[in-house]
Amino acid sequence: MAKGTNTELQQGLAAVMETESITDLQRLSGGASRETWRFKAGNSDYVLQRVRAGTVGGFQVEPRVLAVAHEAGVPVPELVIDGANRTELGVPFMIVRAVEGETIARKILRDDEYSRARGALTTQLGIAAARLHQVDPARVPGLVEDDQVNRYTTILQDLGEPHPVFEAALRWLERNRPDSAMSCIVHGDYRLGNMMVNSDGLAAVLDWEIAHIGDPMEDLGWLCVRAWRFGGAFPAAGVGTYDELLDAYASVTGVRPDPDVLRWWEILGTMKWGIICISQAATHLTGIVRSHELAAIGRRVCENEYDLIDLLSKGPQ
Amino acid sequence: MTAPHDRPTAAELLEALREWMEQDLFPGVEGRLQFHTRVAINMVDIVARELELGPDQVVRHDQVLASFGMKDDAELAAAIRAGTFDEELPSVMTRLLPVVEDKLRVANPRYLR
């Protein structure tokens, strides 16, 4: 990134924040379509997310989702500026107050500093999800419903690589769909790695980019997928049991979710991550982004096939 | 050793590369570069295991496909997608387990329970 561009960003931020100077501007990690920056204005720390120049996308609904989640008692970074339709930074953006803590799963699961957090996390994650799912989806116009079985059937077909285990999982999912009476706002990427954790446990749920309308168990199932346990011995975020998670959820909603429905969503999540692994390797193989890291992810596909076989060959069919 | 090539064999070359990456390269770098070096070492390990185990695994894979009456994964995947095995999906999964275990023995043996 050219130095001149940084100065330009600093000036834009000063205008947005209505302050004299922006300090400590630093680029954090970013996804394919977004840039994330941290900066100081006055004595407070903020995080800026902005659309990467030249990519399609924006912040159409995310600021609104953050606001209703906050109101519902979900720990989230506080929205400071909804820049979806503002022009100061050249592209759509969003500014939130920085939350301190750790997102690296390996540290959260192993470092002594987080031993108390590990004891509290499962219950906190169950409660936070339940609070989100109780929000009336009509409060966030523009959120779309997403049928993940159809979506990933199409994605797998388009990738053009034969994977009999994923085909079998998709058929099984299609034929065993739960009777879902409820559709609510789901986070869509509710897992360790997207959770800011401090020594007391959950500090904030981050990365609301793919929030959508769906079944509430989509979030809990995804949280339990083996990849997101990062080697932890327990299903819920690597640290908790299914019972702890479901009990915490029920303490808010008054209704204990059906463990078989949770299991259906964990199977779906495992299939989904497996297909995302194929797709990440394809990003390298087709030359969109040449990267040995993306290439290596292609050899993680079979971890998910293994987990799917394990999940489908036990329990109710 | 595979004629007409001289030693080191392909496996021995990888072993030498791995030792250098592990002992010299990895400790000399940090942060993101160290993470990417770890990824690279894992990739060398995968290739080394595939060289060793791959030939036998081809045979087992063919046997499993033959037990379904299929010539390759594409044919089996298409049949599953078409609904041919709808009434026996969990058992189809179980029959594919030996193939998936073989893939893990190469990609990440520690993942096997």
Side-chain angles (χ1 to χ4, degrees), chain A residues 148-159:
Chain A
Q148 309 250 310
V149 175
N150 291 346
R151 172 195 282 253
Y152 283 92
T153 301
T154 307
I155 291 176
L156 182 61
Q157 192 152 30
D158 291 347
L159 283 164

Side-chain angles (χ1 to χ4, degrees), chain B:
Chain B
M1 180 158 53
T2 311
H5 303 289
D6 303 313
R7 288 188 74 183
T9 63
E12 286 165 344
L13 283 173
L14 283 177
E15 197 181 2
L17 173 61
R18 192 208 196 282
E19 282 171 13
W20 170 75
M21 291 176 91
E22 176 92 43
Q23 290 162 22
D24 295 336
L25 179 59
F26 188 79
V29 291
E30 51 188 37
R32 193 149 183 80
L33 192 55
Q34 189 175 66
F35 169 71
H36 278 147
T37 303
R38 173 56 59 199
V39 173
I41 292 171
N42 286 340
M43 292 172 90
V44 172
D45 287 342
I46 291 173
V47 177
R49 287 191 294 262
E50 188 168 325
L51 279 176
E52 185 196 342
L53 304 173
D56 288 344
Q57 295 183 338
V58 174
V59 177
R60 186 153 37 227
H61 183 214
D62 285 344
Q63 284 166 350
V64 169
L65 285 170
S67 79
F68 284 101
M70 303 286 167
K71 69 174 191 310
D72 55 25
D73 275 330
E75 202 175 73
L76 179 57
I80 294 169
R81 184 174 283 237
T84 309
F85 298 99
D86 276 0
E87 304 306 322
E88 43 177 332
L89 291 168
S91 102
V92 166
M93 290 284 217
T94 309
R95 288 165 68 190
L96 290 169
L97 181 60
V99 174
V100 172
E101 284 175 336
D102 275 350
K103 293 204 274 184
L104 273 173
R105 282 187 191 102
V106 165
N108 183 7
R110 280 176 307 179
Y111 202 84
L112 289 158
R113 292 187 214 250

Side-chain angles (χ1 to χ4, degrees), chain A residues 132-272:
Chain A
L132 170 68
H133 298 159
Q134 286 197 315
V135 175
D136 177 4
R139 294 190 56 206
V140 186
L143 280 179
V144 289
E145 199 150 351
D146 190 22
D147 187 306
Q148 309 250 310
V149 175
N150 291 346
R151 172 195 282 253
Y152 283 92
T153 301
T154 307
I155 291 176
L156 182 61
Q157 192 152 30
D158 291 347
L159 283 164
E161 278 181 36
H163 283 89
V165 172
F166 293 143
E167 298 290 353
L170 281 163
R171 287 302 292 184
W172 185 90
L173 287 163
E174 177 61 41
R175 291 167 55 84
N176 292 276
R177 281 181 188 264
D179 307 317
S180 179
M182 207 178 142
S183 81
C184 64
I185 301 175
V186 295
H187 176 277
D189 200 3
Y190 200 77
R191 63 170 178 92
L192 222 52
N194 288 334
M195 304 297 168
M196 186 67 86
V197 172
N198 60 28
S199 57
D200 295 324
L202 182 62
V205 181
L206 310 177
D207 291 328
W208 292 77
E209 196 171 341
I210 55 170
H212 58 265
I213 304 291
D215 187 285
M217 287 305 104
E218 180 184 335
D219 280 338
L220 297 196
W222 187 236
L223 181 69
C224 294
V225 166
R226 191 172 163 196
W228 310 135
R229 301 177 196 173
F230 295 92
F234 295 94
V239 294
T241 63
Y242 294 113
D243 280 342
E244 284 175 81
L245 185 65
L246 293 173
D247 287 345
Y249 196 89
S251 74
V252 174
T253 61
V255 184
R256 201 169 191 275
D258 181 347
D260 285 341
V261 177
L262 175 60
R263 184 171 156 275
W264 189 92
W265 281 101
E266 184 181 331
I267 291 168
L268 181 132
T270 307
M271 172 279 298
K272 176 172 154 178

Side-chain angles (χ1 to χ4, degrees), chain A residues 48-52 57-59 83-86 89-94:
Chain A
L48 159 76
Q49 285 199 300
R50 66 169 180 174
V51 173
R52 199 183 281 262
F59 291 87
N85 299 308
R86 294 177 62 157
L89 302 186
V91 288
F93 66 94
M94 180 173 87

Side-chain angles (χ1 to χ4, degrees), chain A residues 10 13 28 54-55 66 71 83 109 116 130 143 197 239 252-253:
Chain A
Q10 228 155 351
L13 282 171
L28 305 176
T55 61
L66 266 186
E71 226 177 278
L109 289 177
R116 196 151 41 95
L143 280 179
V197 172
V239 294
V252 174
T253 61

